[in-house]
mmCIF file of all heavy atoms in Angstrom:
data_model
loop_
_atom_site.group_PDB
_atom_site.id
_atom_site.type_symbol
_atom_site.label_atom_id
_atom_site.label_comp_id
_atom_site.label_asym_id
_atom_site.label_seq_id
_atom_site.Cartn_x
_atom_site.Cartn_y
_atom_site.Cartn_z
ATOM 1 N N ALA A 1667 51.802 -122.882 77.056
ATOM 2 C CA ALA A 1667 51.033 -123.033 75.830
ATOM 3 C C ALA A 1667 49.669 -122.378 75.987
ATOM 4 O O ALA A 1667 48.999 -122.543 77.010
ATOM 5 C CB ALA A 1667 50.874 -124.510 75.492
ATOM 6 N N GLY A 1668 49.270 -121.616 74.981
ATOM 7 C CA GLY A 1668 47.961 -120.984 74.975
ATOM 8 C C GLY A 1668 47.881 -119.680 75.749
ATOM 9 O O GLY A 1668 46.817 -119.061 75.794
ATOM 10 N N ALA A 1669 48.989 -119.247 76.345
ATOM 11 C CA ALA A 1669 48.955 -118.044 77.180
ATOM 12 C C ALA A 1669 49.143 -116.778 76.352
ATOM 13 O O ALA A 1669 49.735 -116.799 75.271
ATOM 14 C CB ALA A 1669 50.031 -118.121 78.253
ATOM 15 N N ARG A 1670 48.625 -115.671 76.894
ATOM 16 C CA ARG A 1670 48.847 -114.341 76.321
ATOM 17 C C ARG A 1670 49.645 -113.529 77.317
ATOM 18 O O ARG A 1670 49.359 -113.545 78.517
ATOM 19 C CB ARG A 1670 47.506 -113.649 76.021
ATOM 20 C CG ARG A 1670 46.697 -114.312 74.927
ATOM 21 C CD ARG A 1670 45.460 -113.482 74.576
ATOM 22 N NE ARG A 1670 44.447 -113.536 75.603
ATOM 23 C CZ ARG A 1670 43.273 -114.165 75.473
ATOM 24 N NH1 ARG A 1670 42.992 -114.808 74.353
ATOM 25 N NH2 ARG A 1670 42.384 -114.141 76.450
ATOM 26 N N TYR A 1671 50.638 -112.802 76.808
ATOM 27 C CA TYR A 1671 51.505 -111.995 77.657
ATOM 28 C C TYR A 1671 51.522 -110.562 77.143
ATOM 29 O O TYR A 1671 51.508 -110.325 75.939
ATOM 30 C CB TYR A 1671 52.925 -112.569 77.669
ATOM 31 C CG TYR A 1671 53.001 -113.982 78.201
ATOM 32 C CD1 TYR A 1671 53.013 -115.075 77.328
ATOM 33 C CD2 TYR A 1671 53.029 -114.229 79.564
ATOM 34 C CE1 TYR A 1671 53.065 -116.379 77.808
ATOM 35 C CE2 TYR A 1671 53.086 -115.526 80.070
ATOM 36 C CZ TYR A 1671 53.103 -116.602 79.175
ATOM 37 O OH TYR A 1671 53.147 -117.899 79.669
ATOM 38 N N HIS A 1672 51.579 -109.611 78.071
ATOM 39 C CA HIS A 1672 51.569 -108.196 77.713
ATOM 40 C C HIS A 1672 52.952 -107.590 77.907
ATOM 41 O O HIS A 1672 53.459 -107.523 79.033
ATOM 42 C CB HIS A 1672 50.561 -107.425 78.567
ATOM 43 C CG HIS A 1672 49.157 -107.562 78.080
ATOM 44 N ND1 HIS A 1672 48.115 -106.775 78.551
ATOM 45 C CD2 HIS A 1672 48.612 -108.373 77.145
ATOM 46 C CE1 HIS A 1672 46.993 -107.118 77.921
ATOM 47 N NE2 HIS A 1672 47.269 -108.086 77.073
ATOM 48 N N ALA A 1673 53.542 -107.125 76.810
ATOM 49 C CA ALA A 1673 54.819 -106.411 76.864
ATOM 50 C C ALA A 1673 54.532 -104.932 77.115
ATOM 51 O O ALA A 1673 54.720 -104.081 76.247
ATOM 52 C CB ALA A 1673 55.593 -106.607 75.570
ATOM 53 N N VAL A 1674 54.060 -104.638 78.314
ATOM 54 C CA VAL A 1674 53.621 -103.280 78.661
ATOM 55 C C VAL A 1674 54.382 -102.816 79.896
ATOM 56 O O VAL A 1674 54.277 -103.426 80.968
ATOM 57 C CB VAL A 1674 52.103 -103.239 78.933
ATOM 58 C CG1 VAL A 1674 51.688 -101.862 79.430
ATOM 59 C CG2 VAL A 1674 51.333 -103.607 77.674
ATOM 60 N N ALA A 1675 55.165 -101.749 79.743
ATOM 61 C CA ALA A 1675 55.880 -101.157 80.876
ATOM 62 C C ALA A 1675 55.094 -99.981 81.453
ATOM 63 O O ALA A 1675 54.885 -99.893 82.654
ATOM 64 C CB ALA A 1675 57.269 -100.717 80.450
ATOM 65 N N ASP A 1676 54.669 -99.050 80.576
ATOM 66 C CA ASP A 1676 53.792 -97.945 80.966
ATOM 67 C C ASP A 1676 52.359 -98.357 80.664
ATOM 68 O O ASP A 1676 52.007 -98.560 79.501
ATOM 69 C CB ASP A 1676 54.110 -96.677 80.164
ATOM 70 C CG ASP A 1676 55.441 -96.061 80.544
ATOM 71 O OD1 ASP A 1676 55.719 -95.958 81.745
ATOM 72 O OD2 ASP A 1676 56.200 -95.684 79.633
ATOM 73 N N ALA A 1677 51.525 -98.450 81.680
ATOM 74 C CA ALA A 1677 50.158 -98.929 81.469
ATOM 75 C C ALA A 1677 49.333 -97.982 80.615
ATOM 76 O O ALA A 1677 48.468 -98.417 79.850
ATOM 77 C CB ALA A 1677 49.464 -99.155 82.810
ATOM 78 N N GLY A 1678 49.594 -96.684 80.733
ATOM 79 C CA GLY A 1678 48.834 -95.725 79.935
ATOM 80 C C GLY A 1678 49.372 -94.316 80.122
ATOM 81 O O GLY A 1678 49.145 -93.704 81.173
#
Side-chain angles (χ1 to χ4, degrees):
R1670 293 186 288 250
Y1671 299 97
H1672 279 191
V1674 174
D1676 290 315

